[in-house]
Amino acid sequence: MSKAQETVLEIDLSALKHNFDYLKSKLQKNTKFLAVVKAFAYGSDADAIALYLQELGVDYFAVAYTSEGVVLRDAGVTKPILVLHPLPVSFETIIERCLEPSIYNWKVLDEFLQVASDKNQKNYPIHLKFNTGLNRLGFNLEDIEPIHSITNASEAICIKSIFSHLAASEDLTEKAFTEQQIRAFTSITEKFITVFDYKPVLHLSNTSGILNYPEAHLDMVRSGIGLYGFGNSEKENKNFIPVAKLKSVISQIHHIEKGETVGYNRAYKSEATMTTATIPIGHADGVGRQYGQGKGFVIIEGQKAPIIGNVCMDMIMVDITSIDCEEGDEVIIFDASHTAEHLANTAQTISYELLTAISQRVKRVIKK
Ligand SMILES: *Cc1c(COP(=O)(O)O)cnc(C)c1O
């Protein structure tokens, strides 16, 4: 029987290498690879993940916010870092820490040009984001000429790449829409090249774009979830290894009589004599209340133990009536076989949400 001491998120760097190699095997030799390490590298450990990927020869990193890029620079990441959603308040920091902003609208373009020229920059690299149907961030085709007029007059910046983001690349029932996005991006790049008279780096594909739309790989791809071990389909999941394993320990076992209740609001009522285990992980650690009431389950001694009643802030109670186990035994919340995607699906959500919710209170252990 495996014993455990506390709740730990184990990060397996050999799984990360496997996923990186698999994704790269889908690309042409000269296609660049950008690793998306936003949100603590999808809830794992941004420093450890980024430093290892840097060692493996990744070309680029991306984060959502400037503060995340600063953390990577402090950790020793020297590769270029694209900040996907910077806000003007952080533009000075962006330049001071050699981070590269995604510029997605006029306000952000104007303010960045101002800060870059105030700081006497020459050819500071920026990335232009275009909207091709996600309707989240980005310029449109018609903006290219006016962008040219404005940026051509400035020595402070240079447009290093142009990019867009796919809305449903994992969903093959939306193939027609994705193909329309790819065509829209092609029109944008053709117009950009005509107006600016040079070709910047072009990128469009996230993980599922890499797997499902080879024609959309272009000069660089941006992968997040795939690196962490999920292919967004039953078939592709088999080619990946989840990097994160979340485990905990049985802190107490209770024998419950028929008619007793378990947990807050007496949300679980026992229908027969039963046994429960209390586990030190709760909604403050990232296992939300949506996993309670019998929806989610953990694995103890290789068997399913459903989460009963309400998830507490720091604990869950699970049904171990038919499991032979004792206090101090290991509990798997998710791992490579009971995956974060399986657990997420029990609460009608996706692996991305469960992984990124694992709070900073949970200890990270890096396995090489
Ligand atoms: C988060 C993000 C990605 C990564 O997407 P995955 O599906 O995790 O591969 C790529 N591009 C942009 C713009 C993103 O915001």
Coordinates of all heavy atoms in Angstrom, one line a residue, residues 36 38 42 84 136 165 206-207 222-225 352, ligand 1:
V36 N 3.3 27.9 -24.4 CA 2.5 28.7 -23.6 C 2.6 28.3 -22.2 O 2.2 27.2 -21.8 CB 1.0 28.7 -24.1 CG1 0.1 29.6 -23.3 CG2 0.9 29.0 -25.6
K38 N 1.5 30.4 -19.5 CA 0.6 31.3 -18.7 C 0.0 30.5 -17.5 O 0.0 29.3 -17.6 CB -0.4 31.9 -19.6 CG -1.4 30.9 -20.2 CD -2.3 31.5 -21.3 CE -3.2 30.5 -21.9 NZ -3.8 31.0 -23.1
Y42 N -0.1 26.3 -16.8 CA -1.3 25.6 -16.6 C -1.4 24.9 -15.3 O -1.8 23.7 -15.1 CB -1.5 24.5 -17.8 CG -1.8 25.2 -19.1 CD1 -1.2 26.3 -19.6 CD2 -2.8 24.6 -20.0 CE1 -1.5 26.9 -20.8 CE2 -3.1 25.2 -21.2 CZ -2.5 26.3 -21.6 OH -2.7 26.9 -22.8
L84 N 0.7 37.9 -24.1 CA -0.5 37.8 -25.0 C -1.6 38.9 -24.7 O -2.3 39.3 -25.5 CB -1.2 36.4 -24.8 CG -0.4 35.3 -25.3 CD1 -0.9 33.9 -24.8 CD2 -0.3 35.3 -26.9
R136 N -12.4 38.2 -29.5 CA -11.9 38.3 -28.2 C -10.9 39.5 -28.2 O -11.2 40.5 -27.6 CB -11.3 37.0 -27.7 CG -11.0 37.0 -26.2 CD -10.6 35.6 -25.8 NE -9.2 35.2 -26.2 CZ -8.6 34.2 -25.8 NH1 -9.2 33.3 -25.0 NH2 -7.4 33.9 -26.2
H165 N -6.0 33.6 -33.4 CA -6.2 32.5 -32.5 C -7.5 31.8 -33.0 O -8.5 32.4 -33.3 CB -6.4 33.0 -31.1 CG -6.3 32.0 -30.0 ND1 -5.5 30.9 -30.1 CD2 -7.0 31.9 -28.8 CE1 -5.7 30.1 -28.9 NE2 -6.6 30.7 -28.2
N206 N -3.0 26.7 -32.0 CA -2.8 26.2 -30.6 C -2.6 24.7 -30.7 O -2.5 24.1 -31.8 CB -4.0 26.6 -29.8 CG -5.3 26.0 -30.2 OD1 -5.4 25.6 -31.4 ND2 -6.3 26.1 -29.4
T207 N -2.7 24.0 -29.6 CA -2.4 22.5 -29.6 C -3.3 21.8 -30.6 O -2.8 21.0 -31.4 CB -2.6 22.0 -28.2 OG1 -1.7 22.6 -27.3 CG2 -2.5 20.4 -28.2
R222 N 1.8 27.6 -31.3 CA 1.7 28.0 -29.9 C 1.0 26.9 -29.2 O -0.2 26.7 -29.3 CB 0.9 29.3 -29.7 CG 1.4 30.5 -30.5 CD 0.6 31.7 -30.1 NE -0.8 31.6 -30.3 CZ -1.5 31.9 -31.4 NH1 -0.9 32.4 -32.5 NH2 -2.8 31.6 -31.5
S223 N 1.7 26.1 -28.4 CA 1.1 25.0 -27.6 C 1.1 25.2 -26.1 O 2.1 25.5 -25.5 CB 1.8 23.7 -28.0 OG 1.2 22.6 -27.3
G224 N 0.0 25.0 -25.5 CA -0.2 25.0 -24.1 C -0.6 23.6 -23.6 O 0.3 22.7 -23.2
I225 N -1.8 23.3 -23.7 CA -2.4 22.0 -23.1 C -1.7 20.8 -23.6 O -1.5 19.8 -22.8 CB -3.9 22.0 -23.4 CG1 -4.6 21.0 -22.4 CG2 -4.3 21.6 -24.8 CD1 -4.8 21.5 -21.0
Y352 N -8.3 22.2 -18.7 CA -7.7 23.5 -18.5 C -8.1 24.2 -17.2 O -7.3 24.7 -16.5 CB -8.1 24.5 -19.6 CG -7.8 24.2 -21.1 CD1 -8.3 23.1 -21.8 CD2 -6.9 25.0 -21.8 CE1 -8.0 22.8 -23.1 CE2 -6.6 24.8 -23.1 CZ -7.1 23.7 -23.8 OH -6.8 23.5 -25.1
Ligands
LIG1 C1 -3.8 30.0 -24.2 C2 -3.4 30.3 -25.6 C3 -2.8 29.3 -26.4 C4 -2.6 27.8 -26.0 O1 -3.7 27.1 -26.3 P1 -3.7 25.5 -26.0 O2 -5.1 25.1 -26.5 O3 -3.6 25.3 -24.6 O4 -2.6 24.9 -26.8 C5 -2.4 29.7 -27.7 N1 -2.6 30.9 -28.1 C6 -3.3 31.9 -27.4 C7 -3.5 33.2 -28.0 C8 -3.7 31.6 -26.1 O5 -4.3 32.5 -25.4

